[in-house]
Amino acid sequence: MNRTRFAPAPTGFLHLGHVANAIVVWGLAAQEGADVLFRIEDHDRIRSRPEYDAALREDLAWLGFASDEGPVRQADDPAPYEAAIERLRSDGRVYGCTCSRATFDAWERERGQPWAGPGCPGGCRELDLDGPTLRVALGAGSERWMDLLVGPCADDVAPAGDPPIRDRDANWTYLLCVVVDDLRQGVDLVVRGRDLLSSTPAQIRLARLLGREMPPAFAHHRLVRDPEGRKLSKSSGDTGVRELRAAGQSADQVIASAAAAIGYEGDPNIGRRPIERPAIGETHTR
Ligand SMILES: [Zn+2]
């Protein structure tokens, strides 16, 4: 394998979940002899903030993780996403959709089960609409892959309907950006948390529709959970890297906590830069 990526969104501060991901990304990269690309996933122009962008770069450096390439940002150039949509459109796979979350909820209330399978509840593909949402018709069936950390996996590509590739606010979606970027940037190893396991079949299928013959290898690691057992979504008091730093924890301690939280069995320091420590007897004064 040649290249993997560390790809946070600048919509919040780094927390232990990101640290755990970095440990596995750099660990597998070292094991496989792959480079690490640092990609800042700022496709959501409303939630992405420059101050988060700056903070996550600083925190990553403090933790001792250095990328081989990057950072690259999705918002810098819309052309690759527009080109991908045009390609899908010329294949008749893109359609405008007026269904909202409420449309899906109403379907479920009336029928006692959620919308399932390709398409959308409004049958929008047949209506020739402009939007606001754009969906991609992925087709039926499933995809299978051998996950490096989970084992053999297989699942439907569109279990909850055709996924959006552009949202109601005209942002390219995570699905579109991640597939286009992994393809054009030569990423052949995708390392991420198990919350994204279920989106993998759609990504494999979409990549194939965009001309990718060989999907990347996938490695889905365990998630860091809060005391109630939920996945961490935002940094909060005891899980934010900034808060842990402010409380006097060292980078080594933060790395150790994140590795323990996901039961990481390898050496969590393998991909980190050596931390310079004063020689024995050397005094450190400011
Ligand atoms: Zn619809």
Side-chain angles (χ1 to χ4, degrees), residues 95-99 120-124 135:
Y95 60 94
C97 169
T98 53
C99 298
C120 65
C124 297
R135 292 185 192 274

Side-chain angles (χ1 to χ4, degrees), residues 191-251:
V191 182
R192 58 192 185 186
R194 288 193 189 167
D195 52 326
L196 289 166
L197 200 57
S198 63
S199 62
T200 305
Q203 291 178 19
I204 293 173
R205 177 68 61 86
L206 182 58
R208 184 174 300 121
L209 296 177
L210 289 171
R212 182 165 195 159
E213 287 171 17
M214 181 71 137
F218 288 93
H220 288 90
H221 56 76
R222 276 184 235 152
L223 297 173
V224 179
R225 299 195 178 273
D226 69 12
E228 280 77 50
R230 292 172 304 214
K231 178 206 166 212
L232 300 181
S233 55
K234 285 204 170 62
S235 77
S236 61
D238 49 355
T239 62
V241 171
R242 309 232 123 184
E243 286 83 353
L244 294 167
R245 284 173 73 175
Q249 287 210 19
S250 68

Side-chain angles (χ1 to χ4, degrees), residues 22-97:
I23 290 168
V24 188
V25 166
W26 267 272
L28 275 176
Q31 185 184 310
E32 299 289 334
D35 284 348
V36 179
L37 168 70
F38 183 18
R39 183 167 80 212
I40 295 180
E41 298 202 330
D42 54 355
H43 58 91
D44 185 332
R45 291 163 302 166
I46 294 166
R47 291 171 61 226
S48 295
R49 299 262 159 84
E51 55 267 35
Y52 292 136
D53 186 311
L56 62 87
R57 283 181 282 127
E58 191 200 310
D59 287 347
L60 195 67
W62 178 77
L63 289 163
F65 290 110
S67 63
D68 300 291
E69 298 157 84
V72 293
R73 291 176 182 78
Q74 296 168 327
D76 284 349
D77 183 11
Y81 314 109
E82 287 165 358
I85 289 205
E86 280 320 300
R87 176 172 179 157
L88 295 165
R89 203 190 286 278
S90 68
D91 291 339
R93 292 190 174 272
V94 175
Y95 60 94
C97 169

